[in-house]
Amino acid sequence: MDKEKELIISKIEEQKKNPNLRLKLKEKTEYFTNLLFYTLFDSDTEVAKNIDKLEELFQELVDLACWETEKPCSKVWQSYLEKLPEILQKLNLDAQAFIKSDPAANSIEEVYMAYPGFYAIAIYRLSHELLKFGLPLVPRLMTEYSHRLTGTDINPGAEIGESFFIDHATGIVIGETVIIKNNVKMYQGVTLGGLYVDRKLRSVKRHPTVEDNVTIYANATILGGSTVIGANSTIGGNTWITSSVPKNSIISNTSEIKIKKVV
């Protein structure tokens, strides 16, 4: 090897300072996510057989992502496994919300297989429960995998109630401290975000709360940790909201339309 190449290699190795940055964790997490989805929904997949595979794969994730020397994360699997029936029950309610809300849905099977919004919600729910057990990197990688596939960015830390419906999915952003209650409908391009970015807000609620039975139409932007969208409200498309909205409200982005006379 020539000296110039040796110098380049030396400089690269010098800059590789993070010993825990192992990219195979990302690949294994994506495989784990797919296996979970198949186990819960695919009628041809044997649940018992896949549960054993999932446990084995989860242990590999623990070895890669849990950096404490005593590996306390290894106790997580059984607790998480016990939560899967409850997660599936919630996801079935979400699927029913799609059927009730979207006239274009021809069957429940279509929702499970063809709706990116449902897939994004499914991976969110699976990652959210896992996050509670203190293994933050794996849930984050799960939702980023879903984000890449669906265009929907749901942080696993968000709290989302039952019967959640996302239509079209693309461009939706739901921040870490968002609270969404039951029977909420959301369309493409919606952002539930913070007013500004500052590391000092790490432990502060910085994203909105959406109460029961709210509909948020396309490209609405709702910002701020103290912002609450009251129950039964309708938020129109392209609105910009940074303060709370009372319950039973209709918020719209009105504009004046002038017809130009052509001579």
Side-chain angles (χ1 to χ4, degrees), residues 41-261:
F41 296 110
D42 180 46
S43 57
D44 292 331
T45 297
E46 296 179 29
V47 175
K49 186 177 178 181
N50 261 32
I51 289 296
D52 291 339
K53 285 183 181 178
L54 284 165
E55 182 175 7
E56 181 181 336
L57 185 55
F58 186 79
Q59 186 55 52
E60 293 181 40
L61 297 179
V62 166
D63 291 339
L64 289 167
C66 188
W67 303 322
E68 292 85 349
T69 53
E70 295 182 5
K71 301 289 185 190
C73 305
S74 61
K75 300 175 183 177
V76 168
W77 173 251
Q78 185 59 38
S79 300
Y80 182 61
L81 182 62
E82 290 169 3
K83 283 286 185 181
L84 288 181
E86 181 185 333
I87 297 170
L88 180 55
Q89 184 179 26
K90 287 182 179 179
L91 288 171
N92 287 334
L93 288 174
D94 294 324
Q96 289 296 329
F98 277 70
I99 287 290
K100 291 175 184 175
S101 301
D102 188 0
N106 297 305
S107 67
I108 195 72
E109 291 82 6
E110 184 178 343
V111 171
Y112 288 121
M113 291 192 286
Y115 275 65
F118 177 78
Y119 185 81
I121 294 168
I123 304 311
Y124 153 75
R125 293 206 187 278
L126 290 165
S127 63
H128 177 71
E129 287 300 326
L130 190 54
L131 183 66
K132 293 178 181 179
F133 296 115
L135 191 67
L137 185 53
V138 172
R140 192 75 170 93
L141 290 171
M142 290 171 70
T143 54
E144 277 307 307
Y145 177 52
S146 172
H147 181 195
R148 190 168 80 239
L149 293 176
T150 66
T152 299
D153 185 1
I154 308 178
N155 190 287
E159 297 179 21
I160 300 178
E162 295 181 353
S163 300
F164 185 38
F165 169 64
I166 292 176
D167 199 15
H168 302 298
T170 308
I172 286 175
V173 176
I174 298 175
E176 181 185 26
T177 62
V178 164
I179 297 173
I180 296 174
K181 298 198 176 175
N182 300 322
N183 303 307
V184 170
K185 300 177 184 178
M186 191 177 296
Y187 292 78
Q188 71 272 17
V190 168
T191 296
L192 302 181
L195 278 168
Y196 61 95
V197 177
D198 191 321
R199 188 65 186 174
K200 291 183 288 187
L201 299 174
R202 180 73 187 92
S203 301
V204 175
K205 187 181 186 306
R206 55 197 185 277
H207 303 108
T209 295
V210 179
E211 300 282 356
D212 294 340
N213 307 312
V214 169
T215 299
I216 306 175
Y217 283 102
N219 300 314
T221 299
I222 304 171
L223 306 176
S226 61
T227 301
V228 177
I229 305 301
N232 310 309
S233 293
T234 299
I235 307 301
N238 299 303
T239 49
W240 177 275
I241 298 172
T242 58
S243 58
S244 293
V245 171
K247 65 181 180 180
N248 304 313
S249 297
I250 298 176
I251 306 296
S252 60
N253 180 16
T254 57
S255 59
E256 185 180 3
I257 299 175
K258 293 183 179 180
I259 308 300
K260 183 170 66 174
K261 293 181 179 180

